[in-house]
């Protein structure tokens, strides 16, 4: 699958709820996982592969060499608390990294690939990755969470470096 990059309108679209969790969706998620692992990303949202629907995958365990894929379909953040700062990157903004403030701890619900609803508390990098991906399906990118000055610097950076990277 091809990952769309900054400037593509699908990244700015608020994604639609998933209506059916079926074999077709499973196949798409398999392909997304392959794409994410190949690109060495911690997460990938459906609209990053041009599917404007509310689901994403995360794997923060692959860093320790023990991949464990997590699938979140029609996710909702129920509660959030605390704050933490982490240097984030994004497969749709290749090469750019910046510190972003997020909630430290979140309590979420979502559906899994069997169509079962589950609830989970996430903390640390896990919570950060979830919030980053959740933003994607809302049409928000991590650079939107930077200060106005840093956003201007990003735009300059992208003109110089980003467009070239995305064409290669
Ligand atoms: Co991203």
């Amino acid at each position: 699958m091809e990952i769309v990059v900054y400037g593509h309108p699908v990244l700015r679209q608020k994604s639609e709820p998933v209506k059916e969790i079926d074999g077709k969706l499973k196949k798409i998620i398999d392909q997304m996982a392959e794409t994410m692992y190949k690109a060495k990303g911690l997460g990938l949202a459906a609209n990053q592969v041009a599917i404007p629907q509310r689901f994403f995958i995360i794997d923060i365990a692959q860093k320790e060499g023990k991949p464990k894929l997590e699938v979140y379909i029609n996710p909702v953040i129920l509660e959030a608390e605390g704050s933490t700062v982490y240097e984030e990157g994004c497969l749709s903004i290749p090469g750019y990294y910046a510190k972003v403030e997020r909630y430290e701890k979140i309590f979420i619900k979502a559906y899994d690939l069997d169509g079962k609803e589950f609830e989970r508390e996430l903390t640390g990098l896990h919570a950060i990755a979830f919030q980053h991906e959740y933003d994607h399906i809302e049409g928000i990118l991590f650079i939107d969470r930077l200060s106005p000055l840093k956003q201007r610097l990003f735009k300059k950076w992208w003109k110089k470096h980003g467009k070239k990277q995305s064409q290669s």
Side-chain angles (χ1 to χ4, degrees), residues 57-94:
I57 55 173
I58 289 176
D59 190 338
I60 59 161
Q62 58 173 314
K63 275 181 125 186
E64 284 101 51
K66 288 178 269 180
K68 188 179 179 297
L69 189 72
E70 295 172 19
V71 178
Y72 296 93
I73 302 165
N74 293 341
V76 179
I77 297 174
L78 299 169
E79 277 175 65
E81 63 179 58
S83 87
T84 184
V85 175
Y86 186 78
E87 190 170 70
E88 296 186 17
C90 180
L91 294 177
S92 293
I93 310 175

Side-chain angles (χ1 to χ4, degrees), residues 15 18 25 29 32-33 36 42-48 51 53-59 69-77 106 108-113 118 122 126-138:
S15 297
V18 173
L25 183 68
I29 285 174
M32 276 174 64
M36 177 184 75
L42 296 182
L44 188 66
N47 60 341
Q48 289 183 276
I51 302 169
Q53 289 186 31
R54 301 182 77 81
F55 64 95
F56 53 76
I57 55 173
I58 289 176
D59 190 338
L69 189 72
E70 295 172 19
V71 178
Y72 296 93
I73 302 165
N74 293 341
V76 179
I77 297 174
I106 55 175
I108 65 99
K109 69 171 183 181
Y111 288 88
D112 65 17
L113 267 177
F118 65 96
L122 303 175
H126 216 161
I128 292 164
F130 185 100
Q131 290 168 83
H132 179 111
E133 300 312 325
Y134 186 84
D135 270 357
H136 271 304
I137 62 173
E138 288 286 300

Side-chain angles (χ1 to χ4, degrees), residues 4-5 15 20 26 54-55 57 92 100 123 151:
V4 300
V5 295
S15 297
E20 218 164 326
K26 282 184 186 135
R54 301 182 77 81
F55 64 95
I57 55 173
S92 293
V100 181
T123 58
Q151 288 189 28

